[in-house]
Amino acid sequence: MENSVRPFGVRDKLGYMLGDFGCNMSFAFINSYMMLFYVTCLGILPEHYAIIIMVAKIWDAINDPLIGGFCDASKPHGGSKFKPWIRWASIPLLISSILMFIYIPNASYAAKVTLCLVTYMIWSVAYTSVNVPYGSLQSVITTDRLERVELSNFRSIGAMLAQAPVMVILPLLIYDENDQPKGNLFIYIVAVMGVIGFISFILLCNLVTERVKPQENPKEKSGYFKTLTSFFHNRPMMALTIATISYTALIMTVFTFLPYVFMYYFKNTKLIAVGSVLAGLPMVVALLMVKPLAKRYSKKQITAYPFLVSILSSGILTVVKIKNPIVWLCIFALGMFATGFFTVLIWAMVADCIDYQEERTGRREEGSIYATYSFFRKLSQGIGGAVIALALGAAGYVQENGSNQLPGVADNIYVAVSLLPLIGSVICFVSLLFMYNINEKDVQRNA
């Protein structure tokens, strides 16, 4: 740690919060509405969309270790290893986000598929070039375990602030009187959000201070393969990776499915906003509880055991056909509250795993390790997107039928939106409780 730099404080926390706020100004909208735009507005078949998203996400995932390796190999500029990447990559991120939502309802089917695949692949490179350096930044801002918890808290606050308009306000704007999305509005919405995100990245770079001196590791041709081998021998990182894949692919996908549940099962899209509020408020409670809990319990305990509540709530929703949407939303919100502890602490746990690997190997490779973890996170997003699209097709959904879907489709969608989080919660609980083995005393010693 450098002795001459400004002490860790509010500027770092606010700046780091703005980084995730900026990322989610782009990611949250695309994650929530991309399938709705291309499947429902432009008419791409769900099974074709599943193939597109898997191909694009594999490409997206491959970018992460490449860009992470470039970050580690690059020379620090102005005392920073990561902030220069965030500055330049934020521009193509803004442009590519807008291009993804060009509304071409009368174009050929091939043109629509091409637009979806090509623009997403371009966007993924830009997003990775911002997100990997941003995620790696936490491990060089501070090595203190409680300060890392605070950074992880503020990162989660930034994500929630960005997701709030996506989940609460936009459902009130984008649907017509027949509860069908208005495709021509998407590009204007994502343009406004993209500009806000760009400004957030500039503020991040001006507020945050890197206190761990940048290291230039001597690179061999097989350098990354050594890192990758160490990554797979890093038991807590593997536990965290398994939990992340399950959480991202099977639990977070529920938000992509929400519009279809309310369009066809409850037949009231206005309740999407209510559902987002009910899901978000318990997350705020979890956010407030994390810091005092971290003073008494380990991150493993705080994140693993709440998944039992999520298992119970999603299990109830799977086996009981609840007709009252408010009752359904309350049980759904309870499950989101339980997973919120993992959402808040995950980034502090990643930083701990990076330190754990440095202790084992003697090499500090924040960019490469974070990027490898992000590789699997991105892959799980692709799996989740494909699973949702395939589940929608398997449920019998036909885009041409609009609001008049065949009997049984709504019930099938209802089951899928509850069953997937149930499976994901079980896997998260088992991997965190039985595989994650970082002792908080070890982390404190490293700090």
Side-chain angles (χ1 to χ4, degrees):
M1 299 284 285
E2 295 292 319
N3 295 322
S4 59
V5 298
R6 175 180 55 79
F8 177 86
V10 175
R11 281 184 54 177
D12 298 287
K13 291 183 280 189
L14 290 177
Y16 202 67
M17 177 192 75
L18 287 170
D20 210 81
F21 178 81
C23 287
N24 275 280
M25 275 286 116
S26 177
F27 178 79
F29 184 83
I30 289 170
N31 190 53
S32 299
Y33 290 107
M34 182 179 171
M35 187 173 81
L36 188 68
F37 178 76
Y38 280 102
V39 173
T40 304
C41 297
L42 294 187
I44 292 179
L45 295 174
E47 53 269 28
H48 293 169
Y49 180 82
I51 296 172
I52 292 169
I53 204 69
M54 271 307 302
V55 171
K57 276 298 181 182
I58 291 172
W59 162 258
D60 190 9
I62 291 172
N63 293 328
D64 287 69
L66 293 176
I67 291 174
F70 292 151
C71 286
D72 283 335
S74 62
K75 294 181 179 180
H77 180 73
S80 173
K81 183 191 288 188
F82 302 113
K83 288 191 284 188
W85 283 81
I86 297 172
R87 287 192 182 96
W88 74 260
S90 60
I91 298 173
L93 177 62
L94 169 61
I95 296 171
S96 58
S97 298
I98 297 171
L99 293 177
M100 286 182 67
F101 291 93
I102 297 175
Y103 186 53
I104 51 171
N106 299 319
S108 67
Y109 192 80
K112 295 173 184 178
V113 169
T114 301
L115 176 70
C116 182
L117 179 61
V118 173
T119 57
Y120 188 87
M121 293 178 75
I122 295 172
W123 173 86
S124 68
V125 175
Y127 182 79
T128 300
S129 299
V130 171
N131 188 254
V132 167
Y134 167 70
S136 305
L137 193 61
Q138 179 173 353
S139 60
V140 296
I141 294 174
T142 178
T143 56
D144 182 88
R145 63 174 291 268
L146 290 179
E147 289 175 352
R148 282 183 172 177
V149 168
E150 290 188 89
L151 285 177
S152 198
N153 272 355
F154 273 81
R155 177 170 182 166
S156 298
I157 292 172
M160 290 174 60
L161 290 176
Q163 291 166 6
V166 174
M167 306 303 293
V168 178
I169 299 175
L170 297 191
L172 303 177
L173 302 177
I174 66 171
Y175 293 97
D176 60 23
E177 61 277 5
N178 296 316
D179 287 337
Q180 295 298 299
K182 296 180 280 189
N184 60 309
L185 290 184
F186 284 65
I187 192 169
Y188 301 107
I189 294 170
V190 77
V192 172
M193 295 180 69
V195 170
I196 295 173
F198 175 77
I199 295 171
S200 300
F201 293 133
I202 301 303
L203 292 173
L204 157 72
C205 293
N206 286 303
L207 290 172
V208 165
T209 299
E210 296 181 29
R211 292 174 181 80
V212 178
K213 185 177 180 181
Q215 295 182 16
E216 298 179 59
N217 298 315
K219 291 288 175 182
E220 307 168 13
K221 289 184 178 180
S222 60
Y224 179 68
F225 293 101
K226 287 185 177 180
T227 300
L228 188 62
T229 301
S230 300
F231 181 92
F232 283 110
H233 285 86
N234 185 331
R235 179 174 168 177
M237 181 61 89
M238 291 307 301
L240 199 61
T241 300
I242 292 171
T244 298
I245 291 172
S246 303
Y247 176 78
T248 306
L250 300 174
I251 298 176
M252 288 305 293
T253 48
V254 70
F255 289 103
T256 305
F257 236 150
L258 273 183
Y260 293 95
V261 174
F262 285 99
M263 277 194 290
Y264 302 116
Y265 186 81
F266 293 117
K267 298 185 181 300
N268 188 343
T269 55
K270 298 298 185 291
L271 286 176
I272 298 174
V274 178
S276 299
V277 172
L278 287 177
L281 287 178
M283 289 282 289
V284 175
V285 176
L287 191 68
L288 295 174
M289 293 174 63
V290 160
K291 186 176 179 180
L293 286 173
K295 294 178 180 178
R296 297 188 59 186
Y297 304 102
S298 68
K299 298 184 186 76
K300 172 180 177 175
Q301 293 171 314
I302 298 170
T303 56
Y305 288 111
F307 275 108
L308 291 174
V309 178
S310 178
I311 292 169
L312 177 63
S313 64
S314 55
I316 292 172
L317 293 179
T318 301
V319 300
V320 180
K321 291 291 182 64
I322 297 173
K323 297 297 183 181
N324 187 315
I326 301 302
V327 174
W328 186 88
L329 284 169
C330 289
I331 300 174
F332 168 72
L334 179 64
M336 290 299 103
F337 165 71
T339 65
F341 295 96
F342 180 71
T343 305
V344 172
L345 282 175
I346 186 172
W347 306 112
M349 295 171 80
V350 169
D352 290 347
C353 289
I354 289 174
D355 287 348
Y356 180 90
Q357 183 147 326
E358 180 189 10
E359 186 179 76
R360 288 170 55 89
T361 66
R363 301 190 305 272
R364 186 157 192 93
E365 302 165 303
E366 301 95 341
S368 296
I369 300 168
Y370 181 87
T372 305
Y373 165 77
S374 185
F375 169 90
F376 290 104
R377 186 180 178 89
K378 295 283 185 66
L379 198 61
S380 65
Q381 291 166 6
I383 294 170
V387 166
I388 289 294
L390 291 173
L392 190 63
Y397 171 82
V398 178
Q399 186 269 340
E400 289 81 2
N401 292 345
S403 58
N404 300 311
Q405 296 296 316
L406 295 174
V409 171
D411 287 342
N412 292 338
I413 291 174
Y414 175 92
V415 171
V417 82
S418 308
L419 180 60
L420 293 176
L422 173 60
I423 298 170
S425 296
V426 170
I427 297 173
C428 287
F429 173 72
V430 171
S431 61
L432 290 171
L433 187 64
F434 297 107
M435 285 186 63
Y436 190 86
N437 65 338
I438 287 184
N439 189 300
E440 294 293 333
K441 293 180 180 179
D442 294 337
V443 176
Q444 188 64 35
R445 187 185 69 242
N446 290 341

